[in-house]
Amino acid sequence: MDFRRIEWLFLVAFIVINIFLFAAFQRDTSGETDTSSNRSSSDTTILKEMRADNISFKAPSKKSGEGYYISTSNDSSIKSSLTSLSNQTVRYQSDGTITSTFKTPITGVDTQHPDKTLDTVVSNSTLILNGTDYTYNTKLSSHNTVVYTQEVADGPIYSRYGEIRFSLTNAGTVTGYTQGYLANVSTLREKTETISERKALIWLYQYNQIPNNTKVVWTKLAYTRYFNLKNSSVYIPTWVVAVKSNSGNNAGVLQLKHVNAFTGAILTNDSNVKTVSGSTTTSE
C-alpha cells in the first residue's frame, strides 16, 4: 500500500475542507454584515423621514443599554414612620403614598434652581422620610412642581410611587409635597440588554406616537412600574420620551411617551401597569 500517496490524499482533502469552511464562514459573516448594514440604512432613512415631517430631535444614540427587572414590596412600612416628621400635617393614602402640608411654608426658594434650597430639605430626616434615596430631577420638574426621583439599582424611578413632588408657588414658596417610596427593592435577574435610544424613537414614530410638527425635548432610560401584584410590584427599564407639539390642541404641552426597553413594546402614557390575576391596577 502506498502510504505516502494516502497521506497526500488526506492532506489535499484537509485543505479542501478548510477552504470550504472558510468560504462558508466568509459568506455567513458577509450576510450578517449586509443585514446589519441594511438595518442601519433603514433606520437612517426613517430618521430622515421624521425630519421631513418637521419632527426635531438630537441625534439619538445607537448604543444598547442594560437594566434589571426590579421587585418592590407593597407594604405600609412608611406609615409607621410618619410620627417622626415635624412641622407638617401628613396623611397616608390608600395607594401607599403620603401627602403633606408644611405648617410653616418654606420661603425664598429660587424658582430657577429650587434644588439649592430643597436638597437640604430632602436630606433632613425630620422633614422627609428616606430623603437620601432621592435625587433632584430637572427633566420631570416644572415651574410649579419640583420633582425628586428615587434611585434604585442603576437608575431613577419615573413613577409617582417613587417620587417626591413639591408644590412651588411663583413667589418661591413651598407649601407641601407628595411622596411615594419603594421599599425592599431587589433585582430579580442579572442585567439584560435594552434597545437603543434610536430604536425607541423610531418605533414611537412608526406607531404614530410622535405626530408631525413636534419636538423631542428629551429622552431618558428609567424604571417604570410594569406589574402590580397584591404584595409586590415589578419595575422595568423604560425609554421615556418627552415630546412637545408645535401645533394643534396640544401645542406647547409636554407629553411623555413610554417604550418597554426590553421588548420595544409601546406603553400608554397614563399607565405602564398590566392587569395581573384578573384584577385591574391603576396607573401611575
Side-chain angles (χ1 to χ4, degrees):
M1 182 179 293
D2 191 345
F3 288 101
R4 183 172 294 277
R5 184 176 182 182
I6 293 174
E7 288 178 352
W8 274 105
L9 288 174
F10 274 114
L11 179 61
V12 171
F14 177 77
I15 293 173
V16 170
I17 291 173
N18 274 274
I19 292 174
F20 173 78
L21 292 175
F22 179 76
F25 173 77
Q26 288 292 93
R27 184 174 64 252
D28 291 343
T29 302
S30 176
E32 290 177 1
T33 302
D34 290 344
T35 301
S36 177
S37 177
N38 290 338
R39 188 183 303 116
S40 178
S41 176
S42 176
D43 288 350
T44 300
T45 299
I46 295 172
L47 293 177
K48 288 181 179 179
E49 291 177 1
M50 293 175 67
R51 296 195 188 279
D53 287 336
N54 294 320
I55 299 173
S56 60
F57 52 89
K58 294 181 180 178
S61 172
K62 296 184 286 184
K63 184 179 180 180
S64 299
E66 290 182 320
Y68 297 99
Y69 283 94
I70 290 178
S71 173
T72 69
S73 62
N74 298 336
D75 59 37
S76 57
S77 58
I78 195 172
K79 185 177 182 180
S80 61
S81 303
L82 298 183
T83 54
S84 66
L85 297 175
S86 62
N87 187 40
Q88 55 194 286
T89 302
V90 189
R91 293 188 302 275
Y92 182 79
Q93 307 296 331
S94 60
D95 62 358
T97 63
I98 63 174
T99 60
S100 175
T101 302
F102 290 123
K103 294 179 180 178
T104 304
I106 299 169
T107 58
V109 179
D110 184 346
T111 56
Q112 298 301 315
H113 303 283
D115 54 309
K116 290 182 177 179
T117 299
L118 295 180
D119 277 356
T120 302
V121 174
V122 171
S123 63
N124 188 336
S125 60
T126 65
L127 296 177
I128 302 292
L129 295 173
N130 306 308
T132 55
D133 293 339
Y134 297 82
T135 303
Y136 174 57
N137 192 302
T138 56
K139 295 183 183 299
L140 295 181
S141 297
S142 61
H143 186 68
N144 295 117
T145 304
V146 183
V147 180
Y148 281 71
T149 48
Q150 186 178 347
E151 300 291 321
V152 299
D154 58 347
I157 293 290
Y158 274 36
S159 160
R160 64 188 179 90
Y161 297 107
E163 295 174 352
I164 301 172
R165 289 179 168 263
F166 292 98
S167 300
L168 179 64
T169 68
N170 293 335
T173 299
V174 170
T175 56
Y177 65 91
T178 62
Q179 180 182 6
Y181 181 72
L182 303 183
N184 303 318
V185 177
S186 62
T187 56
L188 298 179
R189 292 167 50 181
E190 294 183 356
K191 273 191 172 182
T192 303
E193 185 178 15
T194 65
I195 63 172
S196 67
E197 176 189 21
R198 182 162 90 160
K199 187 61 68 178
L201 197 63
I202 287 173
W203 282 344
L204 279 172
Y205 172 71
Q206 290 182 314
Y207 283 93
N208 300 316
Q209 293 298 307
I210 305 180
N212 297 352
N213 198 24
T214 295
K215 179 180 181 180
V216 177
V217 182
W218 53 260
T219 62
K220 179 66 177 179
L221 185 62
Y223 285 94
T224 61
R225 193 165 70 162
Y226 192 49
F227 286 111
N228 186 34
L229 305 172
K230 181 178 180 180
N231 298 316
S232 64
S233 297
V234 173
Y235 287 72
I236 59 169
T238 302
W239 277 108
V240 183
V241 180
V243 299
K244 184 180 293 185
S245 178
N246 298 320
S247 61
N249 295 332
N250 293 322
V253 178
L254 194 69
Q255 294 181 306
L256 301 185
K257 308 291 184 177
H258 301 86
V259 181
N260 184 325
F262 283 146
T263 66
I266 307 301
L267 304 171
T268 59
N269 288 351
D270 58 350
S271 176
N272 297 338
V273 187
K274 289 188 174 182
T275 300
V276 180
S277 300
S279 60
T280 303
T281 57
T282 58
S283 87
E284 43 271 63

